[in-house]
Amino acid sequence: MATVLDLYSCKVAGWSMSSTITAQLVTDALLLAIWRRGDCCDYVVMESFFSTLKRERVYRQDQYVSRDQARADVIDYIESFYNPLRRHSTLGLVSPDQFEKLNQA
């Protein structure tokens, strides 16, 4: 999995999943992020996101029966929980979506 995290709001702006690590995997994640907002991210922040993803979702599953099931579960975590609901201490204990709404220009 490759992801792009917006450092301003901690929102996952782009992601891509594949059975192999390729340049296309990274390119797809970046293109989605650019399409959605266009900002790059920092390695340390991404490592924190992956740790959170594993702890809060992946390790709680007994086992994924297929890559498609894993992909669907991770996308559900990002779109249904992480971005709209998960509170971040760096954002004043609001979710990335709430933070962006509160700080719109």
Side-chain angles (χ1 to χ4, degrees), residues 4-52:
V4 177
L5 194 69
D6 185 317
L7 294 178
Y8 173 70
S9 66
C10 297
K11 185 173 187 169
V12 176
W15 66 90
S16 180
M17 296 176 78
S18 176
S19 60
T20 58
I21 299 172
T22 63
Q24 189 63 49
L25 172 74
V26 176
T27 301
D28 290 346
L30 286 170
L31 288 174
L32 180 59
I34 289 168
W35 178 77
R36 293 177 89 183
R37 59 181 6 112
D39 293 326
C40 293
C41 63
D42 182 75
Y43 178 76
V44 174
V45 177
M46 288 311 307
E47 286 299 315
S48 177
F49 166 74
F50 279 118
S51 176
T52 299

Side-chain angles (χ1 to χ4, degrees), residues 44-62:
V44 174
V45 177
M46 288 311 307
E47 286 299 315
S48 177
F49 166 74
F50 279 118
S51 176
T52 299
L53 169 67
K54 291 173 188 176
R55 184 180 64 253
E56 293 182 351
R57 182 58 70 99
V58 175
Y59 294 153
R60 293 182 181 201
Q61 305 299 320
D62 288 331

